Amino acid sequence: MTFVERYGPWALVTGASAGIGAEFARQLSEMGLNLVVVARRRKRLEDLARDLESKNKVQVRIVTADLSEPDFLPGILSVTNSIEVGLLVNNAGFGLAGHFLEHELEKELGLLNVNCRAPLILTHEFGRQMAQRKRGGIIFVSSVSGYIATPFEASYAASKVYELFLAESLEYELKKNGVDMLALCPGSTQTEFHEIAGSRAVAAMGVQPVVDLAIKKLGKKPVAIPGWHNRLLVYLLKFTPRRVHTYFAGKVMGNLVRP
């Protein structure tokens, strides 16, 4: 069975206007999947859609949505009700760097909604459809931060634990229904993430190899960690106490937070 036969004919990608999400859209369209691209910035989605439709001869549908809002789902369903979504990429997310108590509560709740609530809702909705068809795939873009309690990025790291554990747990539950799960756990990546979060990037990878690995590992493993240095970090964490991880993560992040 080909990738399109297993996960097509349509893929839904959140946070598709830039970075890892846009790269997922590019690579999946090159494989022949039609796309539903979701993000807040419509102009960027329109430019992406025109480019992919022209180059790869696929269909691209656009949904302008803010996943931090409580009522985002009906807008997505209005575009997807007439099509078969076989692959969901829960990519949308953002971080907040700095002292937790200095952040506005509204921003912290927005992070929780985008990083945790939205993937839960979308996975429940489209996972049910996939389970009924006995085929499909769902990718959660988590992070190596999901392995490390991280001072000065506390809620972001906690949200990535949620996505990592949700993906691993559902992989066990839904395997019998033919639905593959993958937690993609990149480290620092060349995206807008650090600029928005208010931190500096260190040893950032390009988006292409990150997405390459996700597509390669979907259906084969429940977790994929791009970059040998990130895999080494996660491996070494097994041999040191959690309080040590937290201490050193706090020292590093304290120096990376931008004033």
Side-chain angles (χ1 to χ4, degrees), residues 98-163:
H99 291 272
F100 173 76
L101 295 180
E102 294 178 0
H103 295 154
E104 295 177 7
L105 179 59
E106 183 179 356
K107 289 185 177 180
E108 289 285 351
L109 292 174
L111 184 150
L112 186 66
N113 286 339
V114 174
N115 294 15
C116 300
R117 180 178 179 271
L120 171 67
I121 291 172
L122 292 170
T123 298
H124 191 267
E125 176 67 34
F126 291 101
R128 278 185 166 183
Q129 298 175 23
M130 295 173 191
Q132 289 174 355
R133 295 192 297 263
K134 298 295 183 182
R135 65 176 185 86
I138 299 176
I139 298 173
F140 294 84
V141 179
S142 180
S143 169
V144 293
S145 294
Y147 292 93
I148 313 170
T150 310
F152 308 113
E153 208 171 48
S155 54
Y156 173 75
S159 74
K160 294 304 171 178
V161 177
Y162 177 83
E163 289 185 293

Side-chain angles (χ1 to χ4, degrees), residues 19-30:
I20 292 174
E23 183 63 21
F24 263 112
R26 292 188 190 97
Q27 292 199 28
L28 293 173
S29 69
E30 289 170 358

Side-chain angles (χ1 to χ4, degrees), residues 181-233:
M181 295 281 166
L182 178 72
L184 176 65
C185 299
S188 182
T189 310
Q190 294 171 10
T191 68
E192 299 173 342
F193 173 85
H194 293 283
E195 180 181 349
I196 294 171
S199 61
R200 295 193 300 273
V202 175
M205 290 183 63
V207 293
Q208 184 176 347
V210 171
V211 174
D212 282 344
L213 185 67
I215 291 174
K216 179 181 178 182
K217 295 300 183 182
L218 180 62
K220 300 179 178 66
K221 289 188 175 183
V223 178
I225 303 173
W228 68 267
H229 55 299
N230 294 318
R231 291 190 290 273
L232 178 62
L233 171 63

